[in-house]
Amino acid sequence: MRLRDLFAPCAIAVALAGVAGHVAAEPAIYKDADHKLGVELIEQNQCQACHIRRVGGDGSAIYKPQGRINTAAFLRGMVEQCNTELNLGFFPEEVTSVAAVLNRRHYKFTQ
Ligand code: HEC
């Protein structure tokens, strides 16, 4: 038996665990989110630059998972509010995608 055969079932188990964990962790309202688009929108709209001016570091201290934003829907609402206030002109699905990226990176809400 070759070493590779020995490890193959293991790799499958890890992959399955990854998929299952992923589905369980993603809030329903983000299930259609386009993460690639969300990342692009965050990069293109000075989110980080402005947050750095406010809190320093890499700007991520602005995202407070233990703060008043405590659900995926609330987080999406916050991004919607920024969208309106900053006149970003995001479409609803773009707001969802940006919120979903922030959730995966920082908030980790499951609902
Ligand atoms: C012109 C400056 C500026 C820009 C640009 C900006 N933000 Fe913010 N953002 C802020 C400030 C200031 C706060 C803190 C508000 C507070 O805590 O009262 C904030 C807070 C937030 C919060 C809430 C954090 C929390 O957990 O309380 C989110 C989410 C957020 N911004 C998302 C974004 C996204 C996404 C973008 C880009 C699409 C963006 N912001 C662009 C200034 C900015």
Side-chain angles (χ1 to χ4, degrees):
M1 196 188 212
R2 286 168 309 166
L3 203 58
R4 208 177 54 203
D5 298 329
L6 206 62
F7 281 112
C10 188
I12 291 168
V14 168
L16 286 177
V19 170
H22 174 80
V23 169
E26 200 84 75
I29 62 163
Y30 296 155
K31 77 175 166 37
D32 295 326
D34 181 342
H35 286 255
K36 192 168 163 287
L37 173 69
V39 169
E40 281 169 14
L41 290 169
I42 288 168
E43 282 167 2
Q44 289 161 7
N45 288 280
Q46 313 290 312
C47 312
Q48 200 182 6
C50 185
H51 293 159
I52 287 172
R53 280 201 295 280
R54 175 88 169 206
V55 296
D58 66 354
S60 66
I62 202 109
Y63 303 124
K64 299 182 282 283
Q66 312 306 331
R68 68 204 157 94
I69 296 175
N70 52 14
T71 63
F74 196 165
L75 175 58
R76 192 193 173 283
M78 185 73 207
V79 175
E80 180 68 70
Q81 197 179 311
C82 288
N83 175 39
T84 308
E85 266 170 40
L86 301 169
N87 246 322
L88 301 177
F90 288 172
F91 291 113
E93 61 271 26
E94 293 179 321
V95 171
T96 299
S97 296
V98 167
V101 169
L102 294 180
N103 189 53
R104 260 196 207 169
R105 285 183 179 170
H106 304 286
Y107 295 87
K108 322 264 190 218
F109 298 134
T110 55
Q111 55 183 337

